[in-house]
Amino acid sequence: MSFENLSATWADQPLSDPEVAADAVDLMISLGDRRRGTFTVLICDPDARYRATVAIELPSTFALDPSPAQLCETALDPVIPAVHTAPGTALVFALGRPGPAHLPDLDAQWAQAATTICQAAGIRLLGFYVATKDGIYQPALTEPAAAA
């Protein structure tokens, strides 16, 4: 998956398509963001089309302390009320992080925390992705990723 696969009209395509979403994540999260560690929110309209990006820099110790659930909640604290002002808004989340392509435990904890937060807030989560220097992937979730 690569941003080079995006068509000129990618922003008109729904990010509910995992391939388009992964390519959009690749476009939005620079290699520097991945080296530093960022939590990125792609904001979509009710039809799941891309509208804006918010990138939140994570502390350098984000893989160790506090827990992914606590960091995710802190990162989303200002985002959730803003999303509620535009009913039907959908989100795509991406953890940009250094290290190996797959850290299954850490990545799954972030994905689960994001899913739980969106479900509790009644926000539609289109997908959760991890971006590293090696590429983009979706960690496995134990619960459905979409909220009503």
Side-chain angles (χ1 to χ4, degrees):
M1 295 172 200
S2 167
F3 68 88
E4 294 173 349
N5 297 331
L6 290 171
S7 72
T9 60
W10 72 268
D12 294 329
Q13 298 173 24
L15 295 189
S16 54
D17 177 331
E19 288 185 23
V20 176
D23 291 341
V25 165
D26 188 47
L27 177 66
M28 296 299 162
I29 304 178
S30 71
L31 287 175
D33 290 339
R34 298 171 200 202
R35 275 192 298 274
R36 282 188 307 280
T38 58
F39 186 65
T40 302
V41 180
L42 279 68
I43 302 169
C44 300
D45 67 13
D47 295 321
R49 292 185 306 254
Y50 172 79
R51 291 297 171 248
T53 299
V54 176
I56 302 155
E57 193 162 334
L58 298 172
S60 61
T61 59
F62 78 92
L64 305 171
D65 188 50
S67 75
Q70 290 171 312
L71 271 175
C72 189
E73 186 174 343
T74 300
L76 290 176
D77 194 43
V79 174
I80 298 297
V83 169
H84 280 149
T85 66
T89 297
L91 303 175
V92 173
F93 293 142
L95 174 63
R97 63 162 179 74
H102 299 276
L103 289 174
D105 291 340
L106 177 69
D107 297 341
Q109 288 177 45
W110 272 90
Q112 192 61 56
T115 300
T116 300
I117 290 166
C118 282
Q119 287 173 340
I123 294 172
R124 187 166 53 125
L125 178 59
L126 300 174
F128 185 95
Y129 297 82
V130 174
T132 69
K133 65 179 175 48
D134 298 312
I136 310 298
Y137 91 101
Q138 278 189 287
L141 287 173
T142 57
E143 294 180 18

PDB file of all heavy atoms in Angstrom, residues 13 16 20 25 27 29 54-55 57 75 78 80 87 108-110 118 122 129 131 146-147:
ATOM      1  N   GLN A  13     -13.362   9.448  -2.989  1.00  0.00           N
ATOM      2  CA  GLN A  13     -13.638   8.034  -2.755  1.00  0.00           C
ATOM      3  C   GLN A  13     -13.802   7.798  -1.260  1.00  0.00           C
ATOM      4  O   GLN A  13     -13.112   8.415  -0.453  1.00  0.00           O
ATOM      5  CB  GLN A  13     -12.505   7.172  -3.289  1.00  0.00           C
ATOM      6  CG  GLN A  13     -12.304   7.305  -4.787  1.00  0.00           C
ATOM      7  CD  GLN A  13     -11.060   6.571  -5.249  1.00  0.00           C
ATOM      8  OE1 GLN A  13     -10.601   5.642  -4.596  1.00  0.00           O
ATOM      9  NE2 GLN A  13     -10.509   7.011  -6.362  1.00  0.00           N
ATOM     10  N   SER A  16     -13.960   4.173   3.611  1.00  0.00           N
ATOM     11  CA  SER A  16     -14.445   2.893   4.115  1.00  0.00           C
ATOM     12  C   SER A  16     -13.830   1.749   3.303  1.00  0.00           C
ATOM     13  O   SER A  16     -13.874   0.601   3.726  1.00  0.00           O
ATOM     14  CB  SER A  16     -15.974   2.837   4.062  1.00  0.00           C
ATOM     15  OG  SER A  16     -16.433   3.131   2.751  1.00  0.00           O
ATOM     16  N   VAL A  20      -8.013   2.205  -0.101  1.00  0.00           N
ATOM     17  CA  VAL A  20      -7.942   3.662  -0.271  1.00  0.00           C
ATOM     18  C   VAL A  20      -7.539   4.304   1.058  1.00  0.00           C
ATOM     19  O   VAL A  20      -6.694   5.205   1.088  1.00  0.00           O
ATOM     20  CB  VAL A  20      -9.280   4.241  -0.782  1.00  0.00           C
ATOM     21  CG1 VAL A  20      -9.228   5.766  -0.855  1.00  0.00           C
ATOM     22  CG2 VAL A  20      -9.633   3.655  -2.146  1.00  0.00           C
ATOM     23  N   VAL A  25      -3.600   7.077   4.478  1.00  0.00           N
ATOM     24  CA  VAL A  25      -2.764   7.109   5.690  1.00  0.00           C
ATOM     25  C   VAL A  25      -1.301   7.254   5.297  1.00  0.00           C
ATOM     26  O   VAL A  25      -0.556   8.051   5.876  1.00  0.00           O
ATOM     27  CB  VAL A  25      -3.006   5.847   6.552  1.00  0.00           C
ATOM     28  CG1 VAL A  25      -1.910   5.668   7.597  1.00  0.00           C
ATOM     29  CG2 VAL A  25      -4.375   5.919   7.214  1.00  0.00           C
ATOM     30  N   LEU A  27      -0.096   8.657   2.718  1.00  0.00           N
ATOM     31  CA  LEU A  27       0.100  10.028   2.249  1.00  0.00           C
ATOM     32  C   LEU A  27       0.196  11.010   3.419  1.00  0.00           C
ATOM     33  O   LEU A  27       1.029  11.919   3.425  1.00  0.00           O
ATOM     34  CB  LEU A  27      -1.057  10.430   1.328  1.00  0.00           C
ATOM     35  CG  LEU A  27      -1.045  11.861   0.806  1.00  0.00           C
ATOM     36  CD1 LEU A  27       0.141  12.078  -0.124  1.00  0.00           C
ATOM     37  CD2 LEU A  27      -2.360  12.163   0.094  1.00  0.00           C
ATOM     38  N   ILE A  29       0.927  10.532   6.730  1.00  0.00           N
ATOM     39  CA  ILE A  29       1.906  10.349   7.804  1.00  0.00           C
ATOM     40  C   ILE A  29       3.302  10.260   7.201  1.00  0.00           C
ATOM     41  O   ILE A  29       3.672   9.244   6.594  1.00  0.00           O
ATOM     42  CB  ILE A  29       1.587   9.099   8.650  1.00  0.00           C
ATOM     43  CG1 ILE A  29       0.168   9.199   9.205  1.00  0.00           C
ATOM     44  CG2 ILE A  29       2.599   8.949   9.775  1.00  0.00           C
ATOM     45  CD1 ILE A  29      -0.258   8.002  10.002  1.00  0.00           C
ATOM     46  N   VAL A  54      -5.766  15.571  11.481  1.00  0.00           N
ATOM     47  CA  VAL A  54      -5.211  16.106  12.722  1.00  0.00           C
ATOM     48  C   VAL A  54      -4.117  15.133  13.164  1.00  0.00           C
ATOM     49  O   VAL A  54      -4.381  13.940  13.316  1.00  0.00           O
ATOM     50  CB  VAL A  54      -6.289  16.212  13.832  1.00  0.00           C
ATOM     51  CG1 VAL A  54      -5.673  16.667  15.143  1.00  0.00           C
ATOM     52  CG2 VAL A  54      -7.415  17.135  13.403  1.00  0.00           C
ATOM     53  N   ALA A  55      -2.904  15.647  13.335  1.00  0.00           N
ATOM     54  CA  ALA A  55      -1.792  14.807  13.796  1.00  0.00           C
ATOM     55  C   ALA A  55      -1.405  15.239  15.203  1.00  0.00           C
ATOM     56  O   ALA A  55      -1.223  16.429  15.469  1.00  0.00           O
ATOM     57  CB  ALA A  55      -0.600  14.935  12.863  1.00  0.00           C
ATOM     58  N   GLU A  57       1.356  14.621  18.157  1.00  0.00           N
ATOM     59  CA  GLU A  57       2.658  14.032  18.473  1.00  0.00           C
ATOM     60  C   GLU A  57       2.588  13.307  19.810  1.00  0.00           C
ATOM     61  O   GLU A  57       2.016  13.812  20.776  1.00  0.00           O
ATOM     62  CB  GLU A  57       3.745  15.108  18.506  1.00  0.00           C
ATOM     63  CG  GLU A  57       5.129  14.515  18.522  1.00  0.00           C
ATOM     64  CD  GLU A  57       6.210  15.503  18.135  1.00  0.00           C
ATOM     65  OE1 GLU A  57       5.914  16.462  17.403  1.00  0.00           O
ATOM     66  OE2 GLU A  57       7.346  15.299  18.574  1.00  0.00           O
ATOM     67  N   ALA A  75      -5.174  11.615  23.668  1.00  0.00           N
ATOM     68  CA  ALA A  75      -5.062  12.174  22.317  1.00  0.00           C
ATOM     69  C   ALA A  75      -6.434  12.526  21.746  1.00  0.00           C
ATOM     70  O   ALA A  75      -6.593  13.536  21.064  1.00  0.00           O
ATOM     71  CB  ALA A  75      -4.339  11.192  21.400  1.00  0.00           C
ATOM     72  N   PRO A  78      -9.635  16.080  22.943  1.00  0.00           N
ATOM     73  CA  PRO A  78     -10.161  17.273  22.266  1.00  0.00           C
ATOM     74  C   PRO A  78     -10.867  16.964  20.942  1.00  0.00           C
ATOM     75  O   PRO A  78     -11.640  17.771  20.441  1.00  0.00           O
ATOM     76  CB  PRO A  78      -8.915  18.127  22.022  1.00  0.00           C
ATOM     77  CG  PRO A  78      -7.794  17.150  21.983  1.00  0.00           C
ATOM     78  CD  PRO A  78      -8.175  16.018  22.890  1.00  0.00           C
ATOM     79  N   ILE A  80     -12.974  14.245  20.168  1.00  0.00           N
ATOM     80  CA  ILE A  80     -14.334  13.703  20.292  1.00  0.00           C
ATOM     81  C   ILE A  80     -15.384  14.814  20.364  1.00  0.00           C
ATOM     82  O   ILE A  80     -16.368  14.782  19.605  1.00  0.00           O
ATOM     83  CB  ILE A  80     -14.441  12.740  21.499  1.00  0.00           C
ATOM     84  CG1 ILE A  80     -13.505  11.531  21.314  1.00  0.00           C
ATOM     85  CG2 ILE A  80     -15.876  12.311  21.744  1.00  0.00           C
ATOM     86  CD1 ILE A  80     -13.799  10.632  20.149  1.00  0.00           C
ATOM     87  N   PRO A  87     -22.645  15.914  13.135  1.00  0.00           N
ATOM     88  CA  PRO A  87     -23.226  14.563  13.141  1.00  0.00           C
ATOM     89  C   PRO A  87     -22.905  13.784  11.861  1.00  0.00           C
ATOM     90  O   PRO A  87     -22.911  14.341  10.773  1.00  0.00           O
ATOM     91  CB  PRO A  87     -24.723  14.816  13.267  1.00  0.00           C
ATOM     92  CG  PRO A  87     -24.814  16.163  13.914  1.00  0.00           C
ATOM     93  CD  PRO A  87     -23.634  16.945  13.387  1.00  0.00           C
ATOM     94  N   ALA A 108      -2.271  -3.837  18.589  1.00  0.00           N
ATOM     95  CA  ALA A 108      -3.628  -4.289  18.920  1.00  0.00           C
ATOM     96  C   ALA A 108      -4.197  -3.521  20.107  1.00  0.00           C
ATOM     97  O   ALA A 108      -5.392  -3.218  20.134  1.00  0.00           O
ATOM     98  CB  ALA A 108      -3.633  -5.790  19.204  1.00  0.00           C
ATOM     99  N   GLN A 109      -3.347  -3.178  21.085  1.00  0.00           N
ATOM    100  CA  GLN A 109      -3.823  -2.386  22.224  1.00  0.00           C
ATOM    101  C   GLN A 109      -4.296  -1.011  21.764  1.00  0.00           C
ATOM    102  O   GLN A 109      -5.344  -0.524  22.221  1.00  0.00           O
ATOM    103  CB  GLN A 109      -2.714  -2.237  23.268  1.00  0.00           C
ATOM    104  CG  GLN A 109      -2.426  -3.499  24.038  1.00  0.00           C
ATOM    105  CD  GLN A 109      -1.264  -3.293  25.005  1.00  0.00           C
ATOM    106  OE1 GLN A 109      -1.210  -2.278  25.701  1.00  0.00           O
ATOM    107  NE2 GLN A 109      -0.348  -4.248  25.034  1.00  0.00           N
ATOM    108  N   TRP A 110      -3.546  -0.372  20.881  1.00  0.00           N
ATOM    109  CA  TRP A 110      -3.953   0.930  20.348  1.00  0.00           C
ATOM    110  C   TRP A 110      -5.262   0.801  19.560  1.00  0.00           C
ATOM    111  O   TRP A 110      -6.179   1.600  19.730  1.00  0.00           O
ATOM    112  CB  TRP A 110      -2.858   1.516  19.452  1.00  0.00           C
ATOM    113  CG  TRP A 110      -1.863   2.314  20.196  1.00  0.00           C
ATOM    114  CD1 TRP A 110      -0.705   1.875  20.764  1.00  0.00           C
ATOM    115  CD2 TRP A 110      -1.940   3.712  20.484  1.00  0.00           C
ATOM    116  NE1 TRP A 110      -0.061   2.921  21.380  1.00  0.00           N
ATOM    117  CE2 TRP A 110      -0.796   4.050  21.215  1.00  0.00           C
ATOM    118  CE3 TRP A 110      -2.872   4.709  20.181  1.00  0.00           C
ATOM    119  CZ2 TRP A 110      -0.551   5.354  21.653  1.00  0.00           C
ATOM    120  CZ3 TRP A 110      -2.620   6.001  20.622  1.00  0.00           C
ATOM    121  CH2 TRP A 110      -1.474   6.311  21.350  1.00  0.00           C
ATOM    122  N   CYS A 118     -14.358   5.081  20.410  1.00  0.00           N
ATOM    123  CA  CYS A 118     -15.343   5.481  19.398  1.00  0.00           C
ATOM    124  C   CYS A 118     -16.703   4.860  19.672  1.00  0.00           C
ATOM    125  O   CYS A 118     -17.728   5.530  19.519  1.00  0.00           O
ATOM    126  CB  CYS A 118     -14.852   5.117  18.000  1.00  0.00           C
ATOM    127  SG  CYS A 118     -13.614   6.271  17.394  1.00  0.00           S
ATOM    128  N   GLY A 122     -20.098   6.933  20.339  1.00  0.00           N
ATOM    129  CA  GLY A 122     -21.065   6.873  19.251  1.00  0.00           C
ATOM    130  C   GLY A 122     -20.532   7.447  17.948  1.00  0.00           C
ATOM    131  O   GLY A 122     -21.273   8.039  17.164  1.00  0.00           O
ATOM    132  N   TYR A 129      -5.092   2.009  11.506  1.00  0.00           N
ATOM    133  CA  TYR A 129      -3.914   1.594  10.750  1.00  0.00           C
ATOM    134  C   TYR A 129      -2.656   1.906  11.542  1.00  0.00           C
ATOM    135  O   TYR A 129      -2.647   2.802  12.385  1.00  0.00           O
ATOM    136  CB  TYR A 129      -3.869   2.322   9.402  1.00  0.00           C
ATOM    137  CG  TYR A 129      -5.043   1.968   8.528  1.00  0.00           C
ATOM    138  CD1 TYR A 129      -6.270   2.603   8.703  1.00  0.00           C
ATOM    139  CD2 TYR A 129      -4.937   0.977   7.571  1.00  0.00           C
ATOM    140  CE1 TYR A 129      -7.359   2.251   7.931  1.00  0.00           C
ATOM    141  CE2 TYR A 129      -6.031   0.631   6.786  1.00  0.00           C
ATOM    142  CZ  TYR A 129      -7.231   1.268   6.969  1.00  0.00           C
ATOM    143  OH  TYR A 129      -8.315   0.918   6.211  1.00  0.00           O
ATOM    144  N   ALA A 131       1.368   2.888  10.808  1.00  0.00           N
ATOM    145  CA  ALA A 131       2.305   3.340   9.776  1.00  0.00           C
ATOM    146  C   ALA A 131       3.717   3.296  10.347  1.00  0.00           C
ATOM    147  O   ALA A 131       3.993   3.925  11.371  1.00  0.00           O
ATOM    148  CB  ALA A 131       1.955   4.761   9.347  1.00  0.00           C
ATOM    149  N   ALA A 146     -16.674  -0.523  13.937  1.00  0.00           N
ATOM    150  CA  ALA A 146     -17.633   0.550  13.658  1.00  0.00           C
ATOM    151  C   ALA A 146     -18.597   0.751  14.809  1.00  0.00           C
ATOM    152  O   ALA A 146     -19.024  -0.190  15.451  1.00  0.00           O
ATOM    153  CB  ALA A 146     -18.415   0.228  12.390  1.00  0.00           C
ATOM    154  N   ALA A 147     -18.894   2.000  15.059  1.00  0.00           N
ATOM    155  CA  ALA A 147     -19.910   2.360  16.053  1.00  0.00           C
ATOM    156  C   ALA A 147     -21.092   2.958  15.315  1.00  0.00           C
ATOM    157  O   ALA A 147     -20.963   3.485  14.223  1.00  0.00           O
ATOM    158  CB  ALA A 147     -19.339   3.349  17.059  1.00  0.00           C
TER     159      ALA A 147
END
